[in-house]
Amino acid sequence: MKKSILIVVILFCQNVFCQSFTFDRFIEYQDNSGETSIFMINSKNESYYFFGGGFTNEITGSVFDLKDKVRHSYSVANIKNALKFEYLNSSIETENKVPCYDKYNVIEVTKTPIDSLTTNFTVLKFKNSKKRKIIQSSNIKAIKSVIPVFSLIMKPFFGHFIYCQKIDLPENYIPTSVEIDYFNRIKTKNELIQNKEVNVLLSLNKKDIKLRN
């Protein structure tokens, strides 16, 4: 996507049967294969967020409603440097049942300040508590942010790096570069290409929402 991208939203309804989500921050990353990851958040309401991804003309994403544990899915079209959201369906968010592959691994985070705004985070995954063998690693460069988004943004990037362990990351940062080495000849790198204020409203007619399990 181009950095001059605009956001266009079609309002589906304007009555008491509507459920609305507003967003004031748009954050976009691109990886070394050209795939895009986009986040939209409401800096005043942490009970929901939008996350989507794909290539320029094939983007899909969802509003994750953390309060009601519901996921509203959308297709996202890039039309004349603008994004158009089309509602697809909604589903109940169930607990992730992926096996905890890394429960015996040890994960260590090292924080290294670069300057007054930028910090480098090194995340090492060791085979076991002896810490003799590193099996995966990640290097994250991040800048200070007034919006607590660090762990939210890192969640999808860490999808195949940290399965079920929890690590402590200070929330008042936003990643500008995320590099992960899986030690199997696969390395990924995501770089921040947009971080800007927006005024986005996605509205759904509750009568049209049919939840899928």
Side-chain angles (χ1 to χ4, degrees), residues 37-48:
S37 296
I38 57 175
F39 299 82
M40 290 195 300
I41 62 174
N42 184 328
S43 61
K44 299 178 180 62
N45 187 342
E46 298 179 15
S47 67
Y48 60 86

Side-chain angles (χ1 to χ4, degrees), residues 139-152:
N139 192 67
I140 308 159
K141 187 175 290 185
I143 57 175
K144 289 186 177 180
S145 169
V146 295
I147 306 171
V149 294
F150 202 4
S151 61
L152 172 65

Side-chain angles (χ1 to χ4, degrees), residues 133-170:
K133 184 178 181 180
I134 299 173
I135 56 175
Q136 291 177 354
S137 67
S138 178
N139 192 67
I140 308 159
K141 187 175 290 185
I143 57 175
K144 289 186 177 180
S145 169
V146 295
I147 306 171
V149 294
F150 202 4
S151 61
L152 172 65
I153 291 175
M154 289 306 304
K155 184 177 180 181
F157 293 156
F158 273 170
H160 297 287
F161 180 68
I162 299 174
Y163 289 93
C164 55
Q165 289 202 37
K166 293 183 178 181
I167 63 173
D168 292 326
L169 293 173

Side-chain angles (χ1 to χ4, degrees), residues 36-186:
T36 290
S37 296
I38 57 175
F39 299 82
M40 290 195 300
I41 62 174
N42 184 328
S43 61
K44 299 178 180 62
N45 187 342
E46 298 179 15
S47 67
Y48 60 86
Y49 67 93
F50 180 94
F51 170 69
F55 294 91
T56 303
N57 297 318
E58 297 180 0
I59 299 174
T60 57
S62 301
V63 174
F64 293 86
D65 185 338
L66 305 179
K67 182 180 178 180
D68 294 331
K69 296 183 179 180
V70 175
R71 173 176 179 168
H72 304 289
S73 298
Y74 291 82
S75 64
V76 187
N78 187 5
I79 302 174
K80 295 181 180 180
N81 297 328
L83 293 183
K84 178 182 177 182
F85 295 79
E86 182 178 349
Y87 172 72
L88 298 176
N89 54 61
S90 298
S91 59
I92 298 172
E93 280 287 272
T94 57
E95 187 176 348
N96 192 347
K97 296 182 180 180
V98 175
C100 190
Y101 296 110
D102 59 358
K103 64 181 178 180
Y104 297 114
N105 302 145
V106 173
I107 297 173
E108 186 175 86
V109 180
T110 302
K111 178 181 176 181
T112 307
I114 298 175
D115 54 40
S116 60
L117 295 176
T118 310
T119 298
N120 197 80
F121 296 86
T122 301
V123 184
L124 301 179
K125 181 192 282 189
F126 295 90
K127 184 176 181 180
N128 51 45
S129 59
K130 295 180 180 180
K131 296 185 180 180
R132 293 177 181 172
K133 184 178 181 180
I134 299 173
I135 56 175
Q136 291 177 354
S137 67
S138 178
N139 192 67
I140 308 159
K141 187 175 290 185
I143 57 175
K144 289 186 177 180
S145 169
V146 295
I147 306 171
V149 294
F150 202 4
S151 61
L152 172 65
I153 291 175
M154 289 306 304
K155 184 177 180 181
F157 293 156
F158 273 170
H160 297 287
F161 180 68
I162 299 174
Y163 289 93
C164 55
Q165 289 202 37
K166 293 183 178 181
I167 63 173
D168 292 326
L169 293 173
E171 290 295 341
N172 61 324
Y173 281 88
I174 180 170
T176 57
S177 176
V178 180
E179 298 180 74
I180 298 178
D181 187 346
Y182 292 98
F183 285 31
N184 59 357
R185 298 183 181 181
I186 297 177

